[in-house]
Every structure is written in structure tokens, then in C-alpha cells.
Amino acid sequence: MQLNLRNPLVFFDLETTGTNPVTDRIVEICYLKVNPNGTEESKTILVNPGMPIPAQATAIHGISDADVANCPTFKEVAKNLARDIEGCDLAGYNSNRFDIPLLAEEFLRADVDIDLSKRKFVDVQTIFHKMEQRTLSAALKFYCNQDLEDAHSAEADTKATYEVLKAQLDRYPNLQNDVIYLSEFSAHNKNVDFAGRFIYDDKGVEIFNFGKYKGKPVAEVLKNDLGYYGWMMNGDFSLHTKKVLTNIKLRELKK
């Protein structure tokens, strides 16, 4: 089944130095842009993370310090990457929990202010887990009867994710061939920030999703506990989380 698209849909996968969006960095990014007319274009970029790649990370994706020694930093490719995905929705495998938060952090560290909150996100892993509870390799075998060669290479994982989503649409009649629907179906929570520190409640109000104020409106906490804002801004939270918190604070001050 071909995808029914309003906007271009960019399938992407990141290989990184680790799993923490705050402290880890991208070493490879591959993206496959599928246009509404069905045409496709892809690109793979090796990135110098500006830090040593841990041996345990190299053991997974096979990318070493030597491989990226002469490669551009993310800051050097960020503007072109932002331009490539401008106006596009995004899709990936476990992307809502990892790839998108880390990509957003990298853009902020590179001083590229791209507003990803206006995009639709389709997480193929969430669809798979809701339907079958498996891994990407098993998904490709289950849906496409293919073996995943070169697993944990960004290019192989990206192409596999694209093939699995098309096969999911073929297999499940109740899955709508619509990115808005797929984005909502594959979302875990209605996150305000990509790390999920704040979420929207049933009334569309931003509330805390962690800590002593979990379930409390963010604006209310900022009003009643002046020190909590400073604690979060100085804490080990992602740049995007801090940006969202600041935006809420500034919005409330204008009221």
C-alpha cells in the first residue's frame, strides 16, 4: 500500500554515542523522504560527535572514532538538514521516545531553531507493539517476510521501517492511511516537550509528568513555587524541556 500523504514524510534513524538525549550525540543520520506524489529521496550522513564514541556504542552500530574523524559536526550540517525536512512530517522506529528528542537537542545545541512541535510524528515501533509486540527485525520478518541485513546501520533500519509501515497498512484495515491518524495512534502520551516531562491533560492544559508536582498544572506550579523554575533550568534536563518551560513562564507573565 502506498502512503496517503498531505506533506512529505521523512523516515529517519540515528546512530549515536549512547541513549541519553541530554549528554549523547549523533554519529550518523539517514533519512528517506517520501513525497506525496510517491517519489523518494534519501541521504546518509556521518557526523563527528565531538566526543569519543564509547566502545559499547561502536559494538552496536560499527562506527568508530576513526570513521568520523574527518566528518562534519552536527552544527555544520544542521542548517541543510533543517532545510531538507522543512514542512515534512517525521517517522521512525522508537523515534518518539529517542530519535526525535535527541534530534531536537542537537538542533538546539547547533543554534538552529526548528519548530518540530508543528510536525506529525509516526512511530512505527508503537504501531507494531500495539499490534504484535515485536522488534524491528521481527517486524520486517513478520510483515514483509524479509531478514534484516546490517541491523543497527542507520540506512538498513530506515529502509526497513519504511517497508514495515507500508506492510502494516496492508495488513490492518483499521489502520487509516493518514499521517495525522498514524501520528495519534503511535503516540504514547500527548507530550508538550519531547522528553515527556510535561504532557497535556484531557483539557489541553500542560501538567507535570514527573516529580513532586506530577499531575499539577505547570503554570500553577510556576506561580506558587518560584524556585522550581530555577531548579529545573539549572538541572539535568534537556534543552528542549527548558525551552518549553520558559515559553510557558513567559506566556503566563503576559496574562
Side-chain angles (χ1 to χ4, degrees):
M1 181 181 292
Q2 295 302 308
L3 300 180
N4 181 21
L5 302 177
R6 293 178 176 84
N7 305 310
L9 182 60
V10 174
F11 291 81
F12 78 104
D13 185 66
L14 306 177
E15 302 303 337
T16 66
T17 60
T19 59
N20 188 331
V22 176
T23 58
D24 283 305
R25 301 291 187 269
I26 294 171
V27 298
E28 184 181 39
I29 178 170
C30 177
Y31 52 101
L32 171 65
K33 182 189 290 188
V34 183
N35 296 300
N37 64 4
T39 60
E40 303 171 8
E41 49 191 296
S42 65
K43 185 180 293 185
T44 300
I45 304 170
L46 278 173
V47 177
N48 187 326
M51 63 181 290
I53 302 175
Q56 57 268 34
T58 298
I60 293 173
H61 50 56
I63 301 170
S64 66
D65 292 334
D67 294 324
V68 299
N70 298 316
C71 294
T73 64
F74 187 85
K75 187 177 182 67
E76 291 173 321
V77 302
K79 288 184 179 179
N80 286 336
L81 176 58
R83 187 161 49 247
D84 283 350
I85 66 175
E86 183 177 1
C88 301
D89 297 318
L90 301 175
Y93 195 86
N94 194 33
S95 48
N96 285 356
R97 289 186 172 183
F98 178 70
D99 299 85
I100 287 173
L102 180 53
L103 184 62
E105 284 298 290
E106 289 280 42
F107 275 128
L108 287 170
R109 283 190 284 260
D111 297 320
V112 174
D113 190 12
I114 179 172
D115 189 359
L116 295 177
S117 66
K118 295 181 180 179
R119 314 300 173 83
K120 295 299 180 183
F121 305 137
V122 179
D123 193 327
V124 174
Q125 184 195 60
T126 302
I127 296 174
F128 187 31
H129 284 180
K130 284 186 175 182
M131 295 298 190
E132 304 294 345
Q133 305 292 314
R134 293 289 197 277
T135 63
L136 178 57
S137 296
L140 191 65
K141 186 69 174 179
F142 181 85
Y143 289 110
C144 307
N145 196 29
Q146 299 176 25
D147 293 320
L148 179 55
E149 303 292 342
D150 297 324
H152 297 298
S153 76
E155 183 174 359
D157 288 356
T158 298
K159 290 180 178 178
T161 301
Y162 175 41
E163 294 302 321
V164 167
L165 178 57
K166 292 192 292 182
Q168 285 173 330
L169 290 168
D170 285 331
R171 180 176 288 266
Y172 305 116
N174 59 314
L175 278 182
Q176 298 177 28
N177 189 354
D178 178 85
V179 169
I180 294 176
Y181 169 84
L182 294 171
S183 174
E184 293 174 352
F185 186 84
S186 60
H188 293 283
N189 290 306
K190 295 182 178 180
N191 289 352
V192 181
D193 63 316
F194 294 126
R197 296 291 186 172
F198 317 119
I199 60 175
Y200 292 105
D201 66 11
D202 293 338
K203 297 180 180 179
V205 175
E206 302 105 333
I207 61 174
F208 281 94
N209 193 34
F210 76 101
K212 65 179 182 178
Y213 290 121
K214 186 173 183 178
K216 298 290 186 181
V218 177
E220 178 183 304
V221 171
L222 293 178
K223 180 179 179 180
N224 298 326
D225 187 347
L226 299 178
Y228 206 70
Y229 173 81
W231 174 77
M232 285 197 66
M233 294 303 290
N234 291 317
D236 188 23
F237 296 96
S238 71
L239 294 176
H240 188 257
T241 295
K242 294 176 181 180
K243 180 181 179 181
V244 168
L245 182 65
T246 299
N247 287 343
I248 295 173
K249 181 182 180 182
L250 293 175
R251 183 194 68 200
E252 294 301 310
L253 288 175
K254 293 178 182 179
K255 289 185 177 180

